[in-house]
Amino acid sequence: MASITKDDLETIYFSNMDEAPARRRAREAFKDIQLAIDHCLFRFPADEVNMKEGYEVNSRGLEIFSKSWLPKGSPLKALVCYCHGYADTCTFYFEGVARKLASSGYGVFALDYPGFGLSDGLHGYIPSFENLVNDVIEHFTKIKEQKEYQHLPSFLLGESMGGAIALNIHFKQPTAWDGAALIAPLCKFAEDMIPHWLVKQILIGVAKLLPKTKLVPQKEEVKENIFRDVNKRKLAPFNVLLYKDKPRLGTALELLKATQELEQRLEEVCLPLLIMHGEADIITDPSASKALYEKAKIDDKKLCLYKDAFHTLLEGEPDETIFHVLDDIISWLDEHSSRKNKY
């Protein structure tokens, strides 16, 4: 087979990725290029980790992509089940995070939600946030029920929208998890993310008729304030599966409803928590993370605020901040998995 040319890559990169087959072709073409970029996450060695990926049709008939990373030759301390953010995938930046966690003794499991990454569904479209949460629960429950994992503690790791998903999983399974580590969780949109109230009412009306339409306005300063490190901002286009268009109306409406409901239920959170947020985040509101910390009905909770940090704590910050956040996650997991394993 002839090697892929620069022109081929450009054609794939700019192709319509609304449907899963196009996204899968793009991932296959760019996979090796992605892992070779100069980002600190990809410096973690892969040879200490067993990685597996594949597809499985879920109970709603959707083909779901999932991936796992397990340490080679050492017993597992616990399971870490990752919920990715809006527009994202578990196949790019998270690869480096998962390698680091697996080499620290954790079995790491992740999936692409329907409509994102390599899974079936219209790109960037969430027709029902509750169905999405149920899809994630179904996937992780199957893993946790496997005989070799039943005795192990299990933790949720949620990033941005994935933090909201993790909290909703907890509401539906209040005793099933040993804790959750949340990175810039979407408990509330920052004010800069929400259109003027009149525009919002118009969009809500149109969403009922045209939910798949890409129409939600985005401010330019928001795009500039996702990655703080300028060099890492330049690497962002390598995330070829990222949903890059304006949010679809139905998706925006579902996320707005989900955050409004979540804000009202913070007092119901009752599992050990690690909450991490950049103080300069203008995507998800750091004040909502503070409210979660204050209202959660559990003594075992920790809030880490990172000075000057933007939204993407594990992808877009200077190396030292990324390593700091990773160390905070691993220290917290070590403490909580060893505590659980004593009983």
Side-chain angles (χ1 to χ4, degrees):
M1 182 179 165
S3 61
I4 197 160
T5 67
K6 185 171 181 287
D7 286 346
D8 291 334
L9 288 173
E10 280 192 10
T11 301
I12 293 166
Y13 184 85
F14 290 108
S15 63
N16 182 321
M17 292 197 203
D18 275 356
E19 301 302 334
R23 301 196 293 273
R24 291 169 189 173
R25 282 194 298 274
R27 194 267 180 142
E28 208 50 46
F30 282 90
K31 184 166 58 174
D32 293 336
I33 297 167
Q34 284 180 320
L35 297 179
I37 67 169
D38 185 21
H39 191 291
C40 63
L41 288 176
F42 299 126
R43 293 177 207 145
F44 297 124
D47 52 7
E48 299 170 19
V49 177
N50 283 321
M51 188 275 292
K52 190 174 158 189
E53 59 182 50
Y55 295 88
E56 187 176 337
V57 176
N58 73 3
S59 62
R60 293 201 298 128
L62 298 167
E63 194 171 38
I64 300 298
F65 173 85
S66 64
K67 198 160 180 176
S68 66
W69 300 259
L70 298 169
K72 282 183 183 173
S74 62
L76 288 181
K77 297 176 185 175
L79 307 183
V80 176
C81 295
Y82 175 67
C83 302
H84 68 72
Y86 166 75
D88 215 349
T89 170
C90 67
T91 60
F92 183 35
Y93 285 123
F94 188 67
E95 176 73 36
V97 176
R99 284 181 193 173
K100 176 66 174 172
L101 293 173
S103 61
S104 302
Y106 293 94
V108 183
F109 299 86
L111 75 159
D112 284 344
Y113 314 136
F116 295 92
L118 301 172
S119 291
D120 276 353
L122 181 64
H123 204 196
Y125 184 46
I126 302 173
S128 163
F129 189 77
E130 184 173 12
N131 281 350
L132 191 157
V133 171
N134 289 335
D135 289 335
V136 178
I137 287 174
E138 178 183 330
H139 181 75
F140 288 150
T141 299
K142 279 184 185 173
I143 292 163
K144 289 171 59 169
E145 285 175 348
Q146 291 176 30
K147 194 173 179 184
E148 65 267 39
Y149 302 139
Q150 285 176 2
H151 67 290
L152 289 168
S154 59
F155 299 92
L156 289 161
L157 174 62
E159 190 167 11
S160 192
M161 182 183 82
I165 290 168
L167 288 170
N168 276 273
I169 291 171
H170 165 57
F171 293 147
K172 287 172 176 279
Q173 297 182 305
T175 60
W177 300 88
D178 296 290
L182 307 177
I183 306 156
L186 179 58
C187 298
K188 181 184 178 184
F189 283 110
E191 288 305 314
D192 281 342
M193 291 291 290
I194 300 172
H196 184 275
W197 73 268
L198 182 58
V199 176
K200 187 169 81 172
Q201 296 311 311
I202 293 167
L203 292 174
I204 288 169
V206 178
K208 290 170 183 170
L209 299 171
L210 302 164
K212 298 174 184 177
T213 307
K214 304 170 182 176
L215 199 62
V216 181
Q218 287 180 299
K219 296 179 182 176
E220 278 306 310
E221 62 265 32
V222 168
K223 294 178 187 174
E224 291 297 308
N225 282 271
I226 297 174
F227 282 61
R228 177 159 67 117
D229 185 299
V230 175
N231 290 324
K232 293 188 178 70
R233 200 179 297 166
K234 290 173 186 169
L235 297 174
F238 284 97
N239 193 356
V240 291
L241 297 188
L242 190 76
Y243 177 77
K244 303 169 188 72
D245 295 328
K246 287 179 180 177
R248 297 181 190 274
L249 284 171
T251 298
L253 193 56
E254 282 297 302
L255 291 181
L256 192 60
K257 284 194 300 187
T259 54
Q260 288 170 344
E261 287 172 16
L262 190 50
E263 264 195 285
Q264 303 304 313
R265 299 186 68 184
L266 298 182
E267 293 90 347
E268 296 175 41
V269 177
C270 58
L271 84 169
L273 280 179
L274 171 64
I275 309 161
M276 298 156 280
H277 219 123
E279 289 187 336
D281 187 348
I282 66 163
I283 312 295
T284 61
D285 195 336
S287 70
S289 278
K290 293 174 189 172
L292 171 60
Y293 174 75
E294 288 159 9
K295 293 181 180 181
K297 266 201 244 172
I298 184 105
D299 292 330
D300 185 355
K301 53 189 175 181
K302 182 177 183 181
L303 174 64
C304 297
L305 296 172
Y306 303 92
K307 186 174 168 53
D308 299 325
F310 287 7
H311 183 63
T312 51
L313 290 176
L314 286 175
E315 300 94 3
E317 290 294 306
D319 290 3
E320 59 269 23
T321 303
I322 291 173
F323 294 143
H324 184 181
V325 175
L326 278 171
D327 286 345
D328 285 344
I329 294 169
I330 291 165
S331 298
W332 184 85
L333 287 170
D334 284 348
E335 180 191 343
H336 286 78
S337 55
S338 62
R339 186 186 301 172
K340 174 76 177 176
N341 281 326
K342 284 178 185 172
Y343 301 108

